[in-house]
């Protein structure tokens, strides 16, 4: 690609470090910022340029990607004093890849438009593995021309990239994705607990079920981790609880009842209260099989 825009990346955690790394590997100039500088140092050692504040990123970069923790973090990075929207040049495109609030996405979009700045909400799914392997699914909301500008960079980080509609629609699509996952995670954990209680070989069970109509991404990717007792975070329990609450808030605004989602959120809150808030979402299995704790 001949376009040599300067890229910024804010948030170099479990997902962001890999995503920014792919942009570097593709030959782009990437400026990085993270609240904990040490987490960004491996990228700096590979050629990324460290910046001391989000404002510095905004002032120097043509396209800025963010993937942070919670909506309050998104609002602070974009709308806080001396932050992205205030300091970005006209014509810059800012892309939030955090799973956040559709309402907040629309608020940031409106603030950016007043300053001639493109704003996309483009949350991702695929977990740590998808980030590492550049196979993420990216749901984008915002103006189509801004999406087309950023699409070549999305294609470096992900495999399935969709423009879902206007501002906030990327977040709406991602929350819908998280509602699907609520059912697959509880179903997988309950099925594994059932199969174990029946005395079945769980490796054989996962292989057999994974070849039929019950095959899911969660079973394929998280099932083997569960059998190994690996509950390290590819996606944090605390972040999934946040996502489910956002989906419930959006559903409530539409007067839509989602009982299965509510039950799943309550199960994950029980899990978090048991000390698993920083574990991966597959740790839900520990509620069903205390031997795994």
């Amino acid at each position: 690609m001949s376009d040599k825009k300067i890229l910024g990346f804010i948030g170099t955690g479990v997902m962001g470090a890999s995503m920014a790394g792919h942009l570097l590997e593709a030959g782009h100039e990437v400026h990085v910022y993270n609240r904990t500088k040490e987490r960004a140092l491996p990228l700096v050692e590979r050629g990324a340029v460290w910046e001391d504040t989000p404002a510095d990123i905004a002032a120097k970069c043509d396209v800025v990607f963010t993937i942070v923790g919670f909506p309050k973090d998104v609002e602070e990075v974009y709308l806080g004093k001396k932050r992205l929207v205030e300091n970005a040049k006209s014509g810059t495109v800012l892309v939030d890849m955090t799973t956040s609030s559709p309402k907040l996405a629309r608020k940031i979009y409106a603030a950016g438009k007043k300053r001639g700045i493109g704003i996309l909400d483009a949350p991702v799914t695929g977990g740590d593995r998808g980030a590492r392997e550049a196979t993420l699914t990216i749901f984008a909301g915002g103006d189509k021309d801004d999406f087309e500008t950023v699409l070549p960079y999305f294609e470096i980080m992900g495999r399935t990239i969709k423009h879902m509609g206007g501002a906030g629609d990327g977040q709406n699509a991602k929350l819908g994705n998280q509602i699907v996952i609520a059912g697959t995670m509880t179903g997988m954990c309950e099925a594994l607990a059932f199969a174990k209680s029946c005395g079945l070989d769980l490796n054989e069970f996962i292989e057999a079920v994974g070849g039929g109509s019950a095959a899911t991404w969660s079973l394929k990717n998280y099932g083997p981790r569960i059998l190994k007792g690996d509950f390290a975070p590819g996606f944090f329990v605390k972040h999934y609880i946040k996502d489910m609450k956002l989906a419930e808030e959006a559903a409530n605004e539409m007067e839509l009842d989602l009982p299965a989602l509510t039950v799943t959120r309550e199960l994950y809150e029980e899990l978090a209260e048991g000390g698993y808030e920083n574990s991966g979402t597959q740790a839900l299995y520990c509620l069903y099989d205390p031997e795994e704790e």
Side-chain angles (χ1 to χ4, degrees), residues 269-292:
E269 287 181 331
E270 180 182 346
L271 185 68
E273 289 168 4
Y276 287 90
E277 67 272 15
N278 290 312
S279 298
T281 52
Q282 70 274 21
L284 182 66
Y285 181 71
C286 296
L287 288 183
Y288 297 91
D289 188 353
E291 293 180 9
E292 292 293 341

Side-chain angles (χ1 to χ4, degrees), residues 125-130 135 181 184-185 188 214-225 281:
T125 187
D128 59 333
R129 181 174 179 179
T135 57
I181 290 174
T184 61
M185 290 299 291
M188 174 188 66
T216 69
W217 188 96
S218 296
L219 181 66
K220 178 181 178 181
N221 289 276
Y222 287 140
R225 294 190 191 189
T281 52

Side-chain angles (χ1 to χ4, degrees), residues 175 179 245-258 261:
L175 295 181
I179 293 168
K245 286 182 176 179
L246 287 170
E248 286 180 301
E249 290 171 8
N252 288 338
E253 291 176 1
M254 297 181 287
E255 299 183 351
L256 178 64
D257 187 25
L258 301 175
L261 177 65

Side-chain angles (χ1 to χ4, degrees), residues 9-87:
F9 208 104
I10 296 174
T12 57
V14 172
M15 304 279 286
S18 294
M19 295 160 70
H22 293 312
L23 296 173
L24 273 175
E25 290 167 4
H28 295 289
E29 179 179 339
V30 181
H31 294 232
V32 296
Y33 170 80
N34 194 71
R35 283 186 300 187
T36 305
K37 184 176 181 179
E38 287 74 18
R39 292 185 178 179
L41 291 181
L43 289 167
V44 174
E45 291 171 359
R46 292 167 58 189
V49 180
W50 169 259
E51 299 291 351
D52 290 325
T53 68
D56 293 331
I57 292 265
K60 297 177 182 178
C61 298
D62 304 301
V63 179
V64 180
F65 300 92
T66 61
I67 184 164
V68 294
F70 294 85
K72 62 181 177 58
D73 302 313
V74 174
E75 186 161 17
E76 174 60 23
V77 166
Y78 278 84
L79 302 177
K81 292 183 178 179
K82 298 183 179 179
R83 297 294 175 159
L84 291 180
V85 171
E86 184 178 313
N87 289 274

Side-chain angles (χ1 to χ4, degrees), residues 100-119:
S100 183
S101 159
K103 186 181 297 184
L104 177 58
R106 291 189 288 270
K107 179 180 178 180
I108 294 170
Y109 173 86
K113 279 299 176 182
K114 290 180 180 178
R115 300 198 67 251
I117 298 165
I119 303 288

Side-chain angles (χ1 to χ4, degrees), residues 117-197:
I117 298 165
I119 303 288
L120 295 174
D121 52 289
V124 303
T125 187
D128 59 333
R129 181 174 179 179
R132 286 195 308 271
E133 298 178 359
T135 57
L136 294 169
T137 294
I138 302 172
F139 310 98
D143 293 347
K144 190 65 177 290
D145 56 346
D146 293 327
F147 173 76
E148 295 294 342
T149 295
V150 178
L151 181 58
Y153 310 114
F154 283 156
E155 290 174 338
I156 293 169
M157 296 183 282
R159 177 179 293 169
T160 303
I161 301 118
K162 296 291 185 181
H163 182 246
M164 304 305 300
D169 283 337
Q171 297 296 350
N172 284 328
K174 175 60 188 293
L175 295 181
N177 181 87
Q178 301 306 73
I179 293 168
V180 173
I181 290 174
T184 61
M185 290 299 291
T186 53
M188 174 188 66
C189 291
E190 292 185 2
L192 289 176
F194 177 83
K196 182 176 181 179
S197 296

